[in-house]
Amino acid sequence: MSADILHDLGPLFLGSRLKRLSDRFQGDATKILREEGLGIQPAQFPLLAAVDRYGPMTVNDAALALGVSQPAVTRTAASLVEAGLLTETRSDRDLRQKALSLSAAGQALMARAKATLWPRVHAAVTDLCDGLTGPLLDQLAGLERRLDDRAFAARVQAGPRGSGERPALTIRDYADDLAEAFYAINAEWIAAMFALEENDRRILSDPRGEILDRGGLILFVEAEGLGVVGTCALMTTSPGCFELTKMAVSERARGLKAGEHLLRAVLARAGTMDIETLYLLTNTACAAAIHLYEKVGFRHDAEIMDRFGRRYARCNVAMRYEP
Protein backbone atom coordinates (compact mmCIF):
# COMPACT_ATOMS: atom_id res chain seq x y z
CA MET A 1 0.00 0.00 0.00
CA SER A 2 1.41 3.40 -0.95
CA ALA A 3 1.92 6.03 1.73
CA ASP A 4 -0.94 8.51 2.23
CA ILE A 5 -0.26 11.16 4.86
CA LEU A 6 -3.78 12.61 4.63
CA HIS A 7 -5.20 9.18 5.43
CA ASP A 8 -2.68 8.32 8.12
CA LEU A 9 -3.17 11.60 10.00
CA GLY A 10 -6.86 11.88 9.16
CA PRO A 11 -8.23 14.24 11.88
CA LEU A 12 -5.32 16.64 11.44
CA PHE A 13 -5.76 17.08 7.68
CA LEU A 14 -9.51 16.70 7.21
CA GLY A 15 -9.76 19.92 5.18
CA SER A 16 -6.93 18.90 2.88
CA ARG A 17 -8.45 15.47 2.42
CA LEU A 18 -11.86 16.90 1.55
CA LYS A 19 -10.21 19.28 -0.91
CA ARG A 20 -8.34 16.39 -2.52
CA LEU A 21 -11.60 14.50 -2.89
CA SER A 22 -13.30 17.62 -4.27
CA ASP A 23 -10.52 18.11 -6.82
CA ARG A 24 -10.95 14.51 -7.88
CA PHE A 25 -14.68 14.97 -8.48
CA GLN A 26 -14.12 18.29 -10.23
CA GLY A 27 -11.62 16.71 -12.60
CA ASP A 28 -14.07 13.98 -13.52
CA ALA A 29 -16.89 16.53 -13.83
CA THR A 30 -14.79 18.48 -16.34
CA LYS A 31 -14.29 15.30 -18.35
CA ILE A 32 -17.98 14.42 -18.22
CA LEU A 33 -19.15 17.86 -19.36
CA ARG A 34 -16.60 17.87 -22.18
CA GLU A 35 -17.69 14.44 -23.42
CA GLU A 36 -21.36 15.43 -23.13
CA GLY A 37 -20.63 18.43 -25.35
CA LEU A 38 -22.27 20.90 -22.95
CA GLY A 39 -19.49 23.45 -23.33
CA ILE A 40 -19.37 24.67 -19.73
CA GLN A 41 -17.14 24.18 -16.71
CA PRO A 42 -18.22 22.45 -13.47
CA ALA A 43 -17.93 25.71 -11.54
CA GLN A 44 -20.47 27.34 -13.87
CA PHE A 45 -23.12 24.65 -13.55
CA PRO A 46 -24.48 25.51 -10.05
CA LEU A 47 -25.31 29.07 -11.09
CA LEU A 48 -27.16 27.85 -14.18
CA ALA A 49 -29.01 25.31 -12.03
CA ALA A 50 -29.97 27.96 -9.47
CA VAL A 51 -31.39 30.32 -12.10
CA ASP A 52 -33.18 27.39 -13.74
CA ARG A 53 -34.78 26.30 -10.46
CA TYR A 54 -35.51 29.64 -8.78
CA GLY A 55 -36.02 31.90 -11.78
CA PRO A 56 -34.37 35.28 -12.46
CA MET A 57 -32.15 36.32 -9.57
CA THR A 58 -29.71 39.07 -8.67
CA VAL A 59 -26.06 38.44 -7.92
CA ASN A 60 -26.83 38.85 -4.20
CA ASP A 61 -29.61 36.25 -4.37
CA ALA A 62 -27.38 33.88 -6.31
CA ALA A 63 -24.54 34.28 -3.80
CA LEU A 64 -26.91 33.29 -0.99
CA ALA A 65 -28.35 30.36 -2.94
CA LEU A 66 -24.88 29.04 -3.79
CA GLY A 67 -23.19 29.88 -0.51
CA VAL A 68 -20.30 31.68 -2.21
CA SER A 69 -19.07 35.27 -2.38
CA GLN A 70 -20.65 37.95 -4.57
CA PRO A 71 -17.41 38.52 -6.52
CA ALA A 72 -17.30 34.79 -7.35
CA VAL A 73 -20.89 34.90 -8.66
CA THR A 74 -20.14 38.08 -10.62
CA ARG A 75 -17.19 36.41 -12.38
CA THR A 76 -19.15 33.25 -13.15
CA ALA A 77 -22.17 35.22 -14.36
CA ALA A 78 -20.01 37.33 -16.66
CA SER A 79 -18.54 34.21 -18.27
CA LEU A 80 -22.01 32.72 -18.78
CA VAL A 81 -23.37 35.96 -20.26
CA GLU A 82 -20.42 36.02 -22.64
CA ALA A 83 -21.15 32.39 -23.57
CA GLY A 84 -24.76 33.31 -24.36
CA LEU A 85 -26.25 31.11 -21.62
CA LEU A 86 -27.38 33.91 -19.26
CA THR A 87 -28.87 37.33 -19.90
CA GLU A 88 -28.86 40.41 -17.64
CA THR A 89 -31.85 42.72 -17.14
CA ARG A 90 -32.73 45.29 -14.51
CA SER A 91 -34.27 43.70 -11.44
CA ASP A 92 -37.97 44.43 -10.86
CA ARG A 93 -37.30 44.69 -7.12
CA ASP A 94 -34.25 46.94 -7.27
CA LEU A 95 -33.46 48.91 -10.41
CA ARG A 96 -29.90 49.36 -9.16
CA GLN A 97 -29.27 45.65 -9.62
CA LYS A 98 -29.41 43.37 -12.63
CA ALA A 99 -31.29 40.08 -12.67
CA LEU A 100 -29.76 36.99 -14.23
CA SER A 101 -32.01 34.88 -16.48
CA LEU A 102 -31.46 31.87 -18.68
CA SER A 103 -31.20 32.67 -22.38
CA ALA A 104 -32.84 30.37 -24.92
CA ALA A 105 -29.51 28.56 -25.25
CA GLY A 106 -29.26 28.28 -21.47
CA GLN A 107 -32.76 26.85 -21.26
CA ALA A 108 -31.92 24.26 -23.91
CA LEU A 109 -28.70 23.31 -22.14
CA MET A 110 -30.45 22.86 -18.80
CA ALA A 111 -33.28 20.88 -20.36
CA ARG A 112 -30.79 18.57 -22.02
CA ALA A 113 -28.73 18.18 -18.83
CA LYS A 114 -31.78 17.42 -16.67
CA ALA A 115 -33.20 14.94 -19.16
CA THR A 116 -30.07 13.00 -20.05
CA LEU A 117 -27.14 13.73 -17.71
CA TRP A 118 -28.53 14.37 -14.25
CA PRO A 119 -30.26 10.97 -13.90
CA ARG A 120 -26.94 9.23 -14.61
CA VAL A 121 -25.03 11.45 -12.20
CA HIS A 122 -27.65 10.84 -9.51
CA ALA A 123 -27.48 7.09 -10.07
CA ALA A 124 -23.67 7.09 -10.04
CA VAL A 125 -23.50 9.03 -6.76
CA THR A 126 -26.13 6.80 -5.17
CA ASP A 127 -24.22 3.69 -6.20
CA LEU A 128 -20.89 5.17 -5.08
CA CYS A 129 -22.17 6.03 -1.59
CA ASP A 130 -24.38 2.98 -1.07
CA GLY A 131 -23.54 1.10 2.10
CA LEU A 132 -20.95 3.53 3.48
CA THR A 133 -21.29 3.50 7.26
CA GLY A 134 -19.34 4.39 10.36
CA PRO A 135 -17.32 7.48 11.31
CA LEU A 136 -16.79 10.15 8.67
CA LEU A 137 -13.12 9.33 8.15
CA ASP A 138 -13.94 5.67 7.56
CA GLN A 139 -16.55 6.67 5.01
CA LEU A 140 -14.07 8.93 3.24
CA ALA A 141 -11.60 6.05 3.06
CA GLY A 142 -14.29 3.78 1.62
CA LEU A 143 -15.26 6.42 -0.91
CA GLU A 144 -11.66 6.84 -2.01
CA ARG A 145 -11.22 3.08 -2.43
CA ARG A 146 -14.30 2.90 -4.62
CA LEU A 147 -13.03 5.76 -6.77
CA ASP A 148 -9.69 3.99 -7.08
CA ASP A 149 -11.50 0.92 -8.33
CA ARG A 150 -13.61 2.89 -10.79
CA ALA A 151 -13.43 6.61 -11.53
CA PHE A 152 -16.55 8.70 -11.12
CA ALA A 153 -16.57 9.71 -14.80
CA ALA A 154 -16.60 6.04 -15.83
CA ARG A 155 -19.52 5.38 -13.48
CA VAL A 156 -21.54 8.22 -15.03
CA GLN A 157 -20.72 7.20 -18.58
CA ALA A 158 -21.70 3.58 -18.02
CA GLY A 159 -24.93 4.30 -16.16
CA PRO A 160 -26.00 2.46 -13.03
CA ARG A 161 -25.70 -1.05 -14.38
CA GLY A 162 -22.15 -0.87 -15.64
CA SER A 163 -22.20 -4.51 -16.71
CA GLY A 164 -22.81 -4.09 -20.42
CA GLU A 165 -26.45 -5.09 -20.00
CA ARG A 166 -28.76 -2.93 -22.07
CA PRO A 167 -30.85 -0.66 -19.82
CA ALA A 168 -34.60 -1.13 -19.71
CA LEU A 169 -36.63 1.15 -21.99
CA THR A 170 -39.93 2.69 -20.94
CA ILE A 171 -42.44 4.59 -23.09
CA ARG A 172 -43.87 7.72 -21.53
CA ASP A 173 -46.78 9.91 -22.65
CA TYR A 174 -46.35 13.66 -22.96
CA ALA A 175 -46.56 15.74 -19.80
CA ASP A 176 -45.88 19.46 -19.53
CA ASP A 177 -42.75 18.86 -17.47
CA LEU A 178 -41.30 17.08 -20.53
CA ALA A 179 -41.74 20.08 -22.84
CA GLU A 180 -38.13 21.16 -22.29
CA ALA A 181 -36.86 17.66 -23.13
CA PHE A 182 -38.98 17.65 -26.29
CA TYR A 183 -37.35 20.89 -27.39
CA ALA A 184 -33.79 20.02 -26.32
CA ILE A 185 -33.57 16.51 -27.81
CA ASN A 186 -34.91 17.68 -31.17
CA ALA A 187 -32.92 20.93 -31.27
CA GLU A 188 -29.75 18.95 -30.54
CA TRP A 189 -29.84 16.84 -33.69
CA ILE A 190 -31.40 19.44 -36.00
CA ALA A 191 -28.79 22.06 -35.11
CA ALA A 192 -25.99 19.49 -35.44
CA MET A 193 -26.97 18.45 -38.98
CA PHE A 194 -28.99 21.32 -40.44
CA ALA A 195 -30.47 24.52 -38.97
CA LEU A 196 -33.59 25.16 -36.94
CA GLU A 197 -36.31 26.46 -39.25
CA GLU A 198 -39.30 28.57 -38.30
CA ASN A 199 -41.54 25.51 -38.54
CA ASP A 200 -39.26 23.71 -36.06
CA ARG A 201 -39.28 26.58 -33.60
CA ARG A 202 -43.05 26.94 -33.67
CA ILE A 203 -43.69 23.25 -33.02
CA LEU A 204 -40.91 22.72 -30.49
CA SER A 205 -41.87 25.82 -28.52
CA ASP A 206 -45.55 24.84 -28.19
CA PRO A 207 -45.95 21.06 -28.44
CA ARG A 208 -49.26 21.06 -26.63
CA GLY A 209 -50.84 23.72 -28.81
CA GLU A 210 -49.32 22.63 -32.11
CA ILE A 211 -49.68 18.86 -31.68
CA LEU A 212 -51.78 17.59 -28.76
CA ASP A 213 -54.62 20.12 -28.85
CA ARG A 214 -55.06 19.34 -32.54
CA GLY A 215 -55.55 15.63 -31.99
CA GLY A 216 -51.93 14.53 -32.22
CA LEU A 217 -49.66 12.44 -30.04
CA ILE A 218 -46.25 12.82 -28.40
CA LEU A 219 -44.37 9.93 -26.81
CA PHE A 220 -40.99 9.70 -25.10
CA VAL A 221 -38.62 6.83 -24.47
CA GLU A 222 -36.80 6.67 -21.15
CA ALA A 223 -33.73 4.50 -20.60
CA GLU A 224 -33.02 3.20 -17.11
CA GLY A 225 -30.22 5.26 -15.60
CA LEU A 226 -30.15 7.71 -18.51
CA GLY A 227 -33.50 9.44 -18.21
CA VAL A 228 -35.53 10.58 -21.21
CA VAL A 229 -33.44 9.93 -24.32
CA GLY A 230 -35.89 10.21 -27.22
CA THR A 231 -39.19 11.57 -28.45
CA CYS A 232 -41.54 11.28 -31.43
CA ALA A 233 -44.83 12.87 -32.43
CA LEU A 234 -47.84 12.34 -34.67
CA MET A 235 -49.16 15.70 -35.90
CA THR A 236 -52.40 16.35 -37.77
CA THR A 237 -51.83 18.20 -41.06
CA SER A 238 -55.34 17.77 -42.53
CA PRO A 239 -58.39 15.64 -41.69
CA GLY A 240 -57.28 12.01 -41.53
CA CYS A 241 -53.71 12.93 -42.50
CA PHE A 242 -50.90 12.78 -39.94
CA GLU A 243 -47.20 13.47 -40.09
CA LEU A 244 -44.77 11.41 -38.04
CA THR A 245 -42.46 14.20 -36.93
CA LYS A 246 -39.89 15.33 -34.39
CA MET A 247 -38.46 11.83 -34.11
CA ALA A 248 -35.19 12.24 -32.22
CA VAL A 249 -32.97 10.19 -29.93
CA SER A 250 -30.08 11.62 -27.95
CA GLU A 251 -26.62 10.70 -29.15
CA ARG A 252 -25.81 9.23 -25.74
CA ALA A 253 -28.46 6.53 -26.28
CA ARG A 254 -26.87 5.08 -29.40
CA GLY A 255 -26.75 1.30 -29.42
CA LEU A 256 -29.74 0.90 -27.10
CA LYS A 257 -32.30 0.52 -29.92
CA ALA A 258 -34.28 3.27 -28.19
CA GLY A 259 -35.30 4.78 -31.53
CA GLU A 260 -36.80 1.57 -32.85
CA HIS A 261 -38.52 0.88 -29.53
CA LEU A 262 -40.05 4.36 -29.58
CA LEU A 263 -41.02 4.26 -33.26
CA ARG A 264 -42.83 0.94 -32.90
CA ALA A 265 -44.72 2.30 -29.87
CA VAL A 266 -45.81 5.36 -31.86
CA LEU A 267 -46.99 3.20 -34.77
CA ALA A 268 -48.91 0.98 -32.36
CA ARG A 269 -50.71 4.05 -31.04
CA ALA A 270 -51.31 5.24 -34.59
CA GLY A 271 -53.16 1.99 -35.23
CA THR A 272 -55.76 3.01 -32.63
CA MET A 273 -56.30 6.47 -34.16
CA ASP A 274 -58.45 7.59 -37.06
CA ILE A 275 -55.58 7.95 -39.54
CA GLU A 276 -56.01 7.54 -43.30
CA THR A 277 -52.55 8.75 -44.37
CA LEU A 278 -49.40 8.63 -42.25
CA TYR A 279 -46.23 10.09 -43.69
CA LEU A 280 -42.87 11.58 -42.73
CA LEU A 281 -40.38 14.06 -44.16
CA THR A 282 -36.62 13.68 -43.83
CA ASN A 283 -33.30 14.11 -45.59
CA THR A 284 -30.90 11.67 -47.28
CA ALA A 285 -28.26 12.69 -44.72
CA CYS A 286 -30.31 10.80 -42.12
CA ALA A 287 -29.40 7.42 -43.62
CA ALA A 288 -29.70 5.40 -40.40
CA ALA A 289 -33.13 6.84 -39.67
CA ILE A 290 -34.33 6.15 -43.23
CA HIS A 291 -33.19 2.54 -42.89
CA LEU A 292 -35.22 2.24 -39.69
CA TYR A 293 -38.27 3.80 -41.32
CA GLU A 294 -38.03 1.32 -44.20
CA LYS A 295 -37.66 -1.52 -41.71
CA VAL A 296 -40.96 -0.74 -39.96
CA GLY A 297 -42.99 -0.18 -43.14
CA PHE A 298 -42.45 3.31 -44.54
CA ARG A 299 -41.98 3.58 -48.32
CA HIS A 300 -40.61 6.43 -50.42
CA ASP A 301 -43.50 8.34 -52.01
CA ALA A 302 -43.32 11.04 -54.70
CA GLU A 303 -46.90 12.17 -54.10
CA ILE A 304 -46.19 12.83 -50.42
CA MET A 305 -43.07 14.72 -51.44
CA ASP A 306 -45.08 16.86 -53.85
CA ARG A 307 -47.84 17.57 -51.32
CA PHE A 308 -45.82 18.21 -48.17
CA GLY A 309 -42.11 18.35 -48.97
CA ARG A 310 -41.95 22.13 -49.11
CA ARG A 311 -42.70 22.43 -45.39
CA TYR A 312 -38.98 22.17 -44.64
CA ALA A 313 -36.06 23.53 -46.65
CA ARG A 314 -33.99 20.48 -45.63
CA CYS A 315 -36.55 17.96 -46.87
CA ASN A 316 -35.55 15.83 -49.88
CA VAL A 317 -37.13 12.54 -48.79
CA ALA A 318 -40.82 11.81 -48.20
CA MET A 319 -42.23 8.46 -47.07
CA ARG A 320 -45.70 6.98 -46.56
CA TYR A 321 -46.49 4.28 -44.00
CA GLU A 322 -47.69 1.07 -45.63
CA PRO A 323 -48.01 -1.60 -42.93
mmCIF file of all heavy atoms in Angstrom, residues 274-303:
data_model
loop_
_atom_site.group_PDB
_atom_site.id
_atom_site.type_symbol
_atom_site.label_atom_id
_atom_site.label_comp_id
_atom_site.label_asym_id
_atom_site.label_seq_id
_atom_site.Cartn_x
_atom_site.Cartn_y
_atom_site.Cartn_z
ATOM 1 N N ASP A 274 -57.750 7.476 -35.778
ATOM 2 C CA ASP A 274 -58.448 7.594 -37.061
ATOM 3 C C ASP A 274 -57.505 8.250 -38.078
ATOM 4 O O ASP A 274 -57.591 9.443 -38.352
ATOM 5 C CB ASP A 274 -59.726 8.421 -36.879
ATOM 6 C CG ASP A 274 -60.582 8.452 -38.140
ATOM 7 O OD1 ASP A 274 -60.350 7.600 -39.026
ATOM 8 O OD2 ASP A 274 -61.460 9.324 -38.232
ATOM 9 N N ILE A 275 -56.602 7.450 -38.623
ATOM 10 C CA ILE A 275 -55.582 7.949 -39.542
ATOM 11 C C ILE A 275 -55.753 7.271 -40.900
ATOM 12 O O ILE A 275 -55.737 6.038 -40.988
ATOM 13 C CB ILE A 275 -54.161 7.689 -39.006
ATOM 14 C CG1 ILE A 275 -53.951 8.443 -37.680
ATOM 15 C CG2 ILE A 275 -53.119 8.123 -40.034
ATOM 16 C CD1 ILE A 275 -52.584 8.214 -37.065
ATOM 17 N N GLU A 276 -55.919 8.075 -41.942
ATOM 18 C CA GLU A 276 -56.005 7.543 -43.297
ATOM 19 C C GLU A 276 -54.639 7.543 -43.972
ATOM 20 O O GLU A 276 -54.283 6.613 -44.681
ATOM 21 C CB GLU A 276 -56.997 8.371 -44.123
ATOM 22 C CG GLU A 276 -58.428 8.331 -43.590
ATOM 23 C CD GLU A 276 -59.350 9.249 -44.375
ATOM 24 O OE1 GLU A 276 -58.878 9.829 -45.384
ATOM 25 O OE2 GLU A 276 -60.526 9.403 -43.977
ATOM 26 N N THR A 277 -53.882 8.618 -43.765
ATOM 27 C CA THR A 277 -52.554 8.753 -44.367
ATOM 28 C C THR A 277 -51.552 9.123 -43.284
ATOM 29 O O THR A 277 -51.763 10.082 -42.541
ATOM 30 C CB THR A 277 -52.536 9.840 -45.452
ATOM 31 O OG1 THR A 277 -53.485 9.510 -46.474
ATOM 32 C CG2 THR A 277 -51.145 9.966 -46.064
ATOM 33 N N LEU A 278 -50.472 8.338 -43.200
ATOM 34 C CA LEU A 278 -49.401 8.626 -42.251
ATOM 35 C C LEU A 278 -48.105 8.746 -43.046
ATOM 36 O O LEU A 278 -47.741 7.839 -43.788
ATOM 37 C CB LEU A 278 -49.284 7.517 -41.204
ATOM 38 C CG LEU A 278 -48.146 7.653 -40.185
ATOM 39 C CD1 LEU A 278 -48.258 8.950 -39.401
ATOM 40 C CD2 LEU A 278 -48.134 6.453 -39.243
ATOM 41 N N TYR A 279 -47.431 9.858 -42.888
ATOM 42 C CA TYR A 279 -46.230 10.091 -43.686
ATOM 43 C C TYR A 279 -45.150 10.743 -42.832
ATOM 44 O O TYR A 279 -45.396 11.166 -41.682
ATOM 45 C CB TYR A 279 -46.554 10.983 -44.895
ATOM 46 C CG TYR A 279 -46.872 12.417 -44.527
ATOM 47 C CD1 TYR A 279 -45.872 13.399 -44.514
ATOM 48 C CD2 TYR A 279 -48.172 12.801 -44.190
ATOM 49 C CE1 TYR A 279 -46.157 14.706 -44.182
ATOM 50 C CE2 TYR A 279 -48.462 14.110 -43.855
ATOM 51 C CZ TYR A 279 -47.456 15.054 -43.849
ATOM 52 O OH TYR A 279 -47.735 16.351 -43.500
ATOM 53 N N LEU A 280 -43.954 10.855 -43.390
ATOM 54 C CA LEU A 280 -42.868 11.578 -42.732
ATOM 55 C C LEU A 280 -42.011 12.275 -43.776
ATOM 56 O O LEU A 280 -42.024 11.908 -44.957
ATOM 57 C CB LEU A 280 -42.019 10.637 -41.866
ATOM 58 C CG LEU A 280 -41.266 9.488 -42.546
ATOM 59 C CD1 LEU A 280 -39.927 9.932 -43.123
ATOM 60 C CD2 LEU A 280 -41.031 8.357 -41.551
ATOM 61 N N LEU A 281 -41.292 13.287 -43.321
ATOM 62 C CA LEU A 281 -40.379 14.058 -44.162
ATOM 63 C C LEU A 281 -38.990 14.005 -43.551
ATOM 64 O O LEU A 281 -38.843 14.175 -42.344
ATOM 65 C CB LEU A 281 -40.840 15.512 -44.268
ATOM 66 C CG LEU A 281 -42.274 15.743 -44.732
ATOM 67 C CD1 LEU A 281 -42.644 17.220 -44.625
ATOM 68 C CD2 LEU A 281 -42.472 15.257 -46.164
ATOM 69 N N THR A 282 -37.966 13.772 -44.361
ATOM 70 C CA THR A 282 -36.617 13.678 -43.826
ATOM 71 C C THR A 282 -35.613 14.095 -44.896
ATOM 72 O O THR A 282 -35.977 14.732 -45.890
ATOM 73 C CB THR A 282 -36.335 12.260 -43.281
ATOM 74 O OG1 THR A 282 -35.056 12.248 -42.645
ATOM 75 C CG2 THR A 282 -36.399 11.210 -44.362
ATOM 76 N N ASN A 283 -34.368 13.728 -44.689
ATOM 77 C CA ASN A 283 -33.298 14.113 -45.592
ATOM 78 C C ASN A 283 -32.377 12.916 -45.795
ATOM 79 O O ASN A 283 -32.182 12.110 -44.883
ATOM 80 C CB ASN A 283 -32.513 15.299 -45.006
ATOM 81 C CG ASN A 283 -31.455 15.829 -45.952
ATOM 82 O OD1 ASN A 283 -30.380 15.249 -46.081
ATOM 83 N ND2 ASN A 283 -31.750 16.936 -46.610
ATOM 84 N N THR A 284 -31.785 12.808 -46.979
ATOM 85 C CA THR A 284 -30.903 11.673 -47.278
ATOM 86 C C THR A 284 -29.707 11.592 -46.334
ATOM 87 O O THR A 284 -29.104 10.531 -46.179
ATOM 88 C CB THR A 284 -30.392 11.767 -48.722
ATOM 89 O OG1 THR A 284 -29.869 13.092 -48.945
ATOM 90 C CG2 THR A 284 -31.499 11.490 -49.718
ATOM 91 N N ALA A 285 -29.360 12.718 -45.677
ATOM 92 C CA ALA A 285 -28.258 12.690 -44.716
ATOM 93 C C ALA A 285 -28.592 11.833 -43.504
ATOM 94 O O ALA A 285 -27.689 11.372 -42.802
ATOM 95 C CB ALA A 285 -27.907 14.109 -44.270
ATOM 96 N N CYS A 286 -29.872 11.599 -43.268
ATOM 97 C CA CYS A 286 -30.309 10.796 -42.115
ATOM 98 C C CYS A 286 -30.448 9.330 -42.541
ATOM 99 O O CYS A 286 -31.522 8.715 -42.428
ATOM 100 C CB CYS A 286 -31.628 11.327 -41.575
ATOM 101 S SG CYS A 286 -31.583 13.083 -41.137
ATOM 102 N N ALA A 287 -29.360 8.753 -43.016
ATOM 103 C CA ALA A 287 -29.400 7.417 -43.615
ATOM 104 C C ALA A 287 -29.846 6.355 -42.621
ATOM 105 O O ALA A 287 -30.647 5.468 -42.953
ATOM 106 C CB ALA A 287 -28.030 7.068 -44.185
ATOM 107 N N ALA A 288 -29.328 6.410 -41.390
ATOM 108 C CA ALA A 288 -29.701 5.401 -40.396
ATOM 109 C C ALA A 288 -31.186 5.465 -40.068
ATOM 110 O O ALA A 288 -31.857 4.431 -39.930
ATOM 111 C CB ALA A 288 -28.861 5.588 -39.133
ATOM 112 N N ALA A 289 -31.707 6.684 -39.963
ATOM 113 C CA ALA A 289 -33.132 6.839 -39.674
ATOM 114 C C ALA A 289 -33.983 6.322 -40.830
ATOM 115 O O ALA A 289 -34.997 5.646 -40.619
ATOM 116 C CB ALA A 289 -33.447 8.305 -39.399
ATOM 117 N N ILE A 290 -33.580 6.624 -42.056
ATOM 118 C CA ILE A 290 -34.326 6.147 -43.226
ATOM 119 C C ILE A 290 -34.353 4.629 -43.264
ATOM 120 O O ILE A 290 -35.389 4.016 -43.566
ATOM 121 C CB ILE A 290 -33.719 6.724 -44.517
ATOM 122 C CG1 ILE A 290 -33.960 8.241 -44.582
ATOM 123 C CG2 ILE A 290 -34.307 6.044 -45.757
ATOM 124 C CD1 ILE A 290 -33.262 8.931 -45.731
ATOM 125 N N HIS A 291 -33.231 4.011 -42.936
ATOM 126 C CA HIS A 291 -33.188 2.541 -42.894
ATOM 127 C C HIS A 291 -34.177 2.009 -41.868
ATOM 128 O O HIS A 291 -34.877 1.010 -42.128
ATOM 129 C CB HIS A 291 -31.775 2.081 -42.560
ATOM 130 C CG HIS A 291 -31.656 0.598 -42.390
ATOM 131 N ND1 HIS A 291 -31.728 -0.277 -43.462
ATOM 132 C CD2 HIS A 291 -31.501 -0.176 -41.277
ATOM 133 C CE1 HIS A 291 -31.611 -1.521 -43.014
ATOM 134 N NE2 HIS A 291 -31.469 -1.485 -41.696
ATOM 135 N N LEU A 292 -34.265 2.662 -40.719
ATOM 136 C CA LEU A 292 -35.217 2.237 -39.689
ATOM 137 C C LEU A 292 -36.651 2.435 -40.174
ATOM 138 O O LEU A 292 -37.502 1.545 -39.982
ATOM 139 C CB LEU A 292 -34.980 3.029 -38.404
ATOM 140 C CG LEU A 292 -35.979 2.790 -37.260
ATOM 141 C CD1 LEU A 292 -36.004 1.323 -36.857
ATOM 142 C CD2 LEU A 292 -35.631 3.676 -36.064
ATOM 143 N N TYR A 293 -36.928 3.556 -40.813
ATOM 144 C CA TYR A 293 -38.274 3.796 -41.324
ATOM 145 C C TYR A 293 -38.673 2.721 -42.348
ATOM 146 O O TYR A 293 -39.807 2.219 -42.332
ATOM 147 C CB TYR A 293 -38.363 5.181 -41.974
ATOM 148 C CG TYR A 293 -38.132 6.331 -41.014
ATOM 149 C CD1 TYR A 293 -37.429 7.466 -41.433
ATOM 150 C CD2 TYR A 293 -38.608 6.296 -39.713
ATOM 151 C CE1 TYR A 293 -37.220 8.527 -40.561
ATOM 152 C CE2 TYR A 293 -38.394 7.351 -38.842
ATOM 153 C CZ TYR A 293 -37.695 8.461 -39.269
ATOM 154 O OH TYR A 293 -37.481 9.511 -38.412
ATOM 155 N N GLU A 294 -37.749 2.376 -43.217
ATOM 156 C CA GLU A 294 -38.026 1.323 -44.199
ATOM 157 C C GLU A 294 -38.278 -0.007 -43.496
ATOM 158 O O GLU A 294 -39.149 -0.788 -43.902
ATOM 159 C CB GLU A 294 -36.850 1.196 -45.169
ATOM 160 C CG GLU A 294 -36.684 2.412 -46.078
ATOM 161 C CD GLU A 294 -35.400 2.379 -46.878
ATOM 162 O OE1 GLU A 294 -34.449 1.658 -46.462
ATOM 163 O OE2 GLU A 294 -35.314 3.072 -47.909
ATOM 164 N N LYS A 295 -37.539 -0.265 -42.450
ATOM 165 C CA LYS A 295 -37.658 -1.525 -41.714
ATOM 166 C C LYS A 295 -39.049 -1.706 -41.111
ATOM 167 O O LYS A 295 -39.582 -2.831 -41.096
ATOM 168 C CB LYS A 295 -36.602 -1.566 -40.605
ATOM 169 C CG LYS A 295 -36.622 -2.813 -39.739
ATOM 170 C CD LYS A 295 -35.525 -2.739 -38.685
ATOM 171 C CE LYS A 295 -35.553 -3.961 -37.764
ATOM 172 N NZ LYS A 295 -34.476 -3.885 -36.728
ATOM 173 N N VAL A 296 -39.664 -0.612 -40.635
ATOM 174 C CA VAL A 296 -40.959 -0.736 -39.963
ATOM 175 C C VAL A 296 -42.139 -0.536 -40.903
ATOM 176 O O VAL A 296 -43.292 -0.645 -40.465
ATOM 177 C CB VAL A 296 -41.068 0.261 -38.783
ATOM 178 C CG1 VAL A 296 -39.991 -0.018 -37.742
ATOM 179 C CG2 VAL A 296 -40.998 1.703 -39.267
ATOM 180 N N GLY A 297 -41.876 -0.218 -42.196
ATOM 181 C CA GLY A 297 -42.991 -0.178 -43.138
ATOM 182 C C GLY A 297 -43.202 1.114 -43.897
ATOM 183 O O GLY A 297 -44.192 1.244 -44.640
ATOM 184 N N PHE A 298 -42.324 2.090 -43.755
ATOM 185 C CA PHE A 298 -42.454 3.312 -44.542
ATOM 186 C C PHE A 298 -41.836 3.106 -45.922
ATOM 187 O O PHE A 298 -40.817 2.428 -46.058
ATOM 188 C CB PHE A 298 -41.752 4.488 -43.844
ATOM 189 C CG PHE A 298 -42.559 5.102 -42.729
ATOM 190 C CD1 PHE A 298 -42.425 4.637 -41.429
ATOM 191 C CD2 PHE A 298 -43.450 6.131 -42.984
ATOM 192 C CE1 PHE A 298 -43.161 5.199 -40.394
ATOM 193 C CE2 PHE A 298 -44.191 6.698 -41.962
ATOM 194 C CZ PHE A 298 -44.052 6.226 -40.659
ATOM 195 N N ARG A 299 -42.464 3.698 -46.952
ATOM 196 C CA ARG A 299 -41.976 3.581 -48.318
ATOM 197 C C ARG A 299 -41.851 4.969 -48.934
ATOM 198 O O ARG A 299 -42.677 5.855 -48.696
ATOM 199 C CB ARG A 299 -42.947 2.718 -49.163
ATOM 200 C CG ARG A 299 -43.115 1.298 -48.641
ATOM 201 C CD ARG A 299 -41.824 0.495 -48.799
ATOM 202 N NE ARG A 299 -41.953 -0.868 -48.256
ATOM 203 C CZ ARG A 299 -41.521 -1.242 -47.053
ATOM 204 N NH1 ARG A 299 -40.932 -0.331 -46.266
ATOM 205 N NH2 ARG A 299 -41.663 -2.469 -46.635
ATOM 206 N N HIS A 300 -40.830 5.152 -49.757
ATOM 207 C CA HIS A 300 -40.612 6.432 -50.425
ATOM 208 C C HIS A 300 -41.817 6.745 -51.322
ATOM 209 O O HIS A 300 -42.332 5.853 -52.005
ATOM 210 C CB HIS A 300 -39.324 6.381 -51.240
ATOM 211 C CG HIS A 300 -38.114 6.182 -50.382
ATOM 212 N ND1 HIS A 300 -37.306 7.226 -49.988
ATOM 213 C CD2 HIS A 300 -37.573 5.060 -49.836
ATOM 214 C CE1 HIS A 300 -36.316 6.756 -49.231
ATOM 215 N NE2 HIS A 300 -36.457 5.442 -49.128
ATOM 216 N N ASP A 301 -42.243 7.995 -51.324
ATOM 217 C CA ASP A 301 -43.497 8.342 -52.010
ATOM 218 C C ASP A 301 -43.392 9.728 -52.654
ATOM 219 O O ASP A 301 -43.275 10.736 -51.957
ATOM 220 C CB ASP A 301 -44.647 8.312 -51.003
ATOM 221 C CG ASP A 301 -46.003 8.346 -51.660
ATOM 222 O OD1 ASP A 301 -46.328 9.366 -52.291
ATOM 223 O OD2 ASP A 301 -46.749 7.344 -51.536
ATOM 224 N N ALA A 302 -43.449 9.772 -53.976
ATOM 225 C CA ALA A 302 -43.322 11.037 -54.705
ATOM 226 C C ALA A 302 -44.520 11.943 -54.471
ATOM 227 O O ALA A 302 -44.378 13.175 -54.425
ATOM 228 C CB ALA A 302 -43.162 10.753 -56.194
ATOM 229 N N GLU A 303 -45.711 11.345 -54.331
ATOM 230 C CA GLU A 303 -46.904 12.166 -54.100
ATOM 231 C C GLU A 303 -46.811 12.902 -52.768
ATOM 232 O O GLU A 303 -47.151 14.083 -52.676
ATOM 233 C CB GLU A 303 -48.158 11.285 -54.112
ATOM 234 C CG GLU A 303 -49.437 12.091 -53.884
ATOM 235 C CD GLU A 303 -50.656 11.215 -53.673
ATOM 236 O OE1 GLU A 303 -50.524 9.973 -53.735
ATOM 237 O OE2 GLU A 303 -51.726 11.785 -53.426
#
